[in-house]
Amino acid sequence: MKLYEKTASELSEMLRNKECSAVEICNDVIERIHETEDKVGAYVTVCEESAKENAAAVDKALANGENLHPLAGIPIGIKDNISTKGIKTTCSSRMLENYVPPFNATVMEKVNNAKMTVLGKMNMDEFAMGSSTETSYMHLTRNPHNTECVPGGSSGGSAAAIASGEAVLTLGSDTGGSIRQPAALCGAVGMKPTYGSVSRYGLVAFASSLDQIGPLGKSVKDVAMLQSVICGHDRRDATSKFMEYPDYAAALESNLKGLKIGVPKEYFGEGIDAEVKDSVMKAIKEMESNGAEIKEISLPSTQYAINTYYIIASAEASSNLARFDGVKYGYRAKDYDGLVDMYEKTRSEGFGDEVKRRIMLGTFVLSSGYFDAYYKKAKRVQNRISAEFTDAFKECDIIATPTVPSSAFKIGENIGDPVKMYYNDVCTVTVNIAGLPAISLPCGKDSKNMPMGLQLIGSKFSEQQLLNAAFGYEQICGGFDVLSKSL
Amino acid sequence: MKIDIKHIAKLSRLKIEDDKLEKFEKDMETIVNMVDNMPDVDGPLTLLDEENPMTLREDKAVADKFKREELLANAPEVQAGCLVVPKTVE
């Protein structure tokens, strides 16, 4: 077995037992990138040199008997909307094609403090707006399980790299499903943490009240380990929660006995592929036969979730993306006539069509005469959706649903139809609307041999319980088979 | 609903090329029709999480220090340590 095929926790142990070095791990994953990257296209930027330097420093520190973080020397890829000092952070947009942040996001300070080996920056939908990574200005990313299919999005590069072995761990961001949906389509594990548990400082803002950074990996333990690195209070993010954060990986426990799993009927209705329904129900039944209690629940406002999400997210995006005006950083149009013309040309040339659509939708729902009918209504429905979850968690510990209505679709299949693309997020957006944590786990492959995803949702700041439930399911499956066999 | 795409684009400081106007208009109408289906719900407007209130910073300058050159390195046009913009006052 090659080193890139192993999980982070396995590699961490091997490093401590001197069965391999950090440089060997780093070189093996870089070799894998050279082997497969032209077929997958997961990266926007690869930082070979600095990765090797870090690995060498970790080996030296270990040889000196220094007490390093368990993830020291483990290769990680970073979604390209997370600010990395001295490394381009493009958001896969022409607008930021040459932007090099002068500072690190808080999560990057934490990743660097843990001495993880940063391999580079992962491709994504432009400004995280999309569900297939096809809106990237850079290039396409392909699903490692079938390169004719999309990897999902917007963290498509982060998920694809896990399935191709081009990274051992990755960071993504999730505003409406952007970690969980690509994790499901690529057969990886991906978690969207509770809003407020991971600092958003240095994450290029899309919809600030919904955005959250989170981990992707090959196993629940790996995701738990990375979550422990990135979580925590940060004074630079006013929405960051001050509390004691547990060591999730250390406390991981697979006991499902007595766990009450709520199954909301609204997530198994029209539009959900029969094969997905079957495999998710099968997973739930397996958890039941291992001691969990199943309870049918109802979350009636789910039918309004997509609408609510696109109104709120686009409204916030239209405001957040106003900063891209060609003045202080980023792209500026070449020829213009005066200030307003510079703004308009810069933004029209710098943004792709999907970003323009969302900015215009957001502008529309906030504009005079429409604000009450759209934005205010959506905020009230958001409260309702949130309250329904709170009520549901009085009856159950976690909620189980599909992550995505179907397995990965073909490249080009949905890109011409924005509404069809938006419905890919139908099972994931509610979690962001209510600020909850949720994890996507692989739950088998469909008749096209493509992965499908099981989503487990927890109440706020219940990551430990959520990860334990996920770990319990992983044990039933005998581990997840994440890596693509067809590359 | 009919969307005046040129007006919305202007409010968004965007310019839509003529050959793309029709497609954008059609897409926007479909999207607005999609989000249009919303119930009238009573209750508070803001989503305040009483258990997890936001903490405000002290009104003090942040300690992070940057060099001027570092911050200007990403600027499209710089002259004498300043950002260059078109004339803003006629």
Side-chain angles (χ1 to χ4, degrees):
Chain A
M1 200 186 205
K2 305 272 280 178
L3 291 171
Y4 75 81
E5 296 176 59
K6 298 196 174 291
T7 64
S9 60
E10 286 167 346
L11 290 171
S12 173
E13 204 141 302
M14 287 174 73
L15 265 179
R16 297 297 174 295
N17 297 337
K18 303 199 168 33
E19 292 167 50
C20 69
S21 69
V23 168
E24 281 167 353
I25 296 173
C26 178
N27 288 343
D28 196 57
V29 177
I30 287 174
E31 196 186 313
R32 182 65 181 166
I33 294 174
H34 290 165
E35 244 169 52
T36 57
E37 181 58 5
D38 59 335
K39 281 178 255 174
V40 179
Y43 282 85
V44 174
T45 306
V46 180
C47 311
E48 237 182 271
E49 218 169 288
S50 57
K52 286 179 177 172
E53 279 168 21
N54 180 73
V58 167
D59 282 337
K60 208 173 158 193
L62 283 174
N64 289 341
E66 280 179 45
N67 190 18
L68 297 185
H69 189 280
L71 288 181
I74 303 301
I76 183 170
I78 310 294
K79 188 176 181 179
D80 212 13
N81 59 352
I82 296 171
S83 300
T84 42
K85 187 175 179 175
I87 304 171
K88 268 198 249 180
T89 298
T90 70
C91 290
S92 289
S93 177
R94 186 184 191 191
M95 189 60 90
L96 294 177
E97 198 178 359
N98 298 308
Y99 170 64
V100 182
F103 71 106
N104 271 322
T106 297
V107 293
M108 287 316 299
E109 287 179 355
K110 288 167 176 261
V111 161
N112 291 336
N113 286 342
K115 293 196 166 53
M116 295 185 73
T117 298
V118 176
L119 293 166
K121 305 299 294 285
M122 316 313 295
N123 199 18
M124 55 185 277
D125 280 298
E126 184 178 5
F127 284 104
M129 296 174 186
S131 309
S132 66
T133 315
E134 289 169 290
T135 73
S136 169
Y137 174 71
M138 302 305 167
H139 51 78
L140 279 175
T141 297
R142 294 170 182 278
N143 192 311
H145 295 280
N146 176 352
T147 52
E148 282 174 25
C149 292
V150 302
S154 69
S155 311
S158 299
I162 297 295
S164 65
E166 291 178 85
V168 179
L169 285 166
T170 54
L171 285 182
S173 70
D174 192 315
T175 305
S178 282
I179 289 173
R180 293 159 286 152
Q181 187 258 16
L185 299 193
C186 291
V189 181
M191 182 166 81
K192 183 253 161 203
T194 307
Y195 185 77
S197 63
V198 179
S199 170
R200 291 179 295 105
Y201 179 75
L203 172 69
V204 180
F206 161 11
S208 309
S209 78
L210 308 169
D211 296 341
Q212 192 67 184
I213 296 171
L216 294 96
K218 292 192 196 91
S219 74
V220 174
K221 188 168 184 196
D222 283 14
V223 162
M225 287 171 90
L226 185 52
Q227 174 64 11
S228 285
V229 173
I230 60 174
C231 70
H233 177 253
D234 179 16
R235 63 174 178 87
R236 293 174 293 191
D237 173 359
T239 59
S240 167
K241 166 89 164 167
F242 187 80
M243 63 170 226
E244 281 291 319
Y245 291 84
D247 181 346
Y248 300 108
L252 213 53
E253 197 185 70
S254 68
N255 189 0
L256 292 172
K257 200 139 276 164
L259 183 79
K260 292 196 203 78
I261 303 177
V263 181
K265 54 177 188 282
E266 291 81 3
Y267 286 75
F268 293 83
E270 208 187 321
I272 310 292
D273 192 79
E275 285 190 83
V276 171
K277 264 187 236 180
D278 290 349
S279 74
V280 170
M281 280 318 293
K282 187 169 158 266
I284 294 169
K285 291 271 180 250
E286 281 168 349
M287 291 171 86
E288 187 180 26
S289 33
N290 280 270
E293 286 172 37
I294 308 301
K295 208 173 165 60
E296 193 180 298
I297 59 166
S298 176
L299 297 163
S301 297
T302 304
Q303 56 173 319
Y304 303 114
I306 281 276
N307 306 2
T308 307
Y309 170 77
Y310 276 93
I311 291 170
I312 295 172
S314 303
E316 292 186 24
S318 74
S319 167
N320 272 329
L321 273 66
R323 72 190 66 176
F324 300 106
D325 58 3
V327 174
K328 297 190 193 73
Y329 59 100
Y331 178 80
R332 180 188 284 192
K334 295 287 158 286
D335 305 303
Y336 46 84
D337 181 18
L339 189 70
V340 171
D341 195 45
M342 184 192 80
Y343 289 154
E344 289 183 349
K345 282 200 175 127
T346 292
R347 293 165 60 78
S348 301
E349 293 167 18
F351 292 138
D353 286 354
E354 181 58 25
V355 175
K356 287 178 192 164
R357 269 195 290 273
R358 304 237 191 156
I359 291 175
M360 287 195 289
L361 176 63
T363 305
F364 171 75
V365 300
L366 294 175
S367 65
S368 164
Y370 297 102
F371 178 73
D372 285 354
Y374 292 95
Y375 186 74
K376 269 188 169 176
K377 255 191 190 176
K379 289 301 280 184
R380 287 205 168 91
V381 177
Q382 177 178 29
N383 280 358
R384 171 70 63 91
I385 290 172
S386 211
E388 286 174 9
F389 271 111
T390 306
D391 286 344
F393 283 119
K394 287 173 189 155
E395 295 177 66
C396 57
D397 303 315
I398 59 163
I399 292 172
T401 74
T403 310
V404 196
S406 58
S407 66
F409 46 90
K410 290 266 162 70
I411 290 166
E413 195 179 319
N414 291 344
I415 194 73
D417 185 345
V419 168
K420 203 172 162 202
M421 190 71 95
Y422 295 171
Y423 270 92
N424 242 281
D425 304 334
V426 69
C427 301
T428 47
V429 290
T430 48
V431 165
N432 303 74
I433 290 171
L436 306 171
I439 190 166
S440 180
L441 306 166
C443 67
K445 290 190 173 164
D446 67 0
S447 50
K448 290 175 279 182
N449 205 26
M450 293 302 282
M452 296 175 288
L454 162 71
Q455 175 174 245
L456 301 180
I457 306 169
S459 57
K460 280 185 190 173
F461 299 103
S462 72
E463 272 83 350
Q464 188 68 63
Q465 187 178 45
L466 184 67
L467 285 161
N468 285 353
F471 191 49
Y473 176 65
E474 186 181 34
Q475 299 295 306
I476 296 172
C477 300
F480 297 133
D481 197 8
V482 172
L483 284 172
S484 160
K485 309 274 182 294
S486 59
L487 276 179
Chain B
M1 188 193 293
K2 193 91 189 114
I3 302 288
D4 183 351
I5 204 83
K6 278 193 170 164
H7 175 63
I8 298 292
K10 196 174 159 55
L11 292 176
S12 311
R13 290 272 191 251
L14 288 168
K15 250 182 204 151
I16 305 296
E17 301 92 326
D18 286 340
D19 59 325
K20 281 189 165 178
L21 266 177
E22 203 181 324
K23 164 90 172 123
F24 266 100
E25 199 165 83
K26 195 179 132 273
D27 284 347
M28 280 296 290
E29 279 173 17
T30 320
I31 296 167
V32 170
N33 283 337
M34 174 189 96
V35 300
D36 212 21
N37 173 28
M38 291 289 271
D40 276 310
V41 177
D42 296 332
L45 181 64
T46 46
L47 193 84
L48 283 176
D49 186 346
E50 283 166 24
E51 283 170 31
N52 306 299
M54 290 211 287
T55 41
L56 297 179
R57 282 191 296 260
E58 274 182 81
D59 192 12
K60 278 201 308 205
V62 184
D64 302 337
K65 293 270 195 300
F66 293 98
K67 288 198 195 89
R68 185 189 203 91
E69 306 86 71
E70 271 182 314
L71 295 179
L72 290 176
N74 282 298
E77 206 182 334
V78 175
Q79 225 176 68
C82 297
L83 298 163
V84 180
V85 291
K87 197 170 169 186
T88 53
V89 183
E90 290 304 322

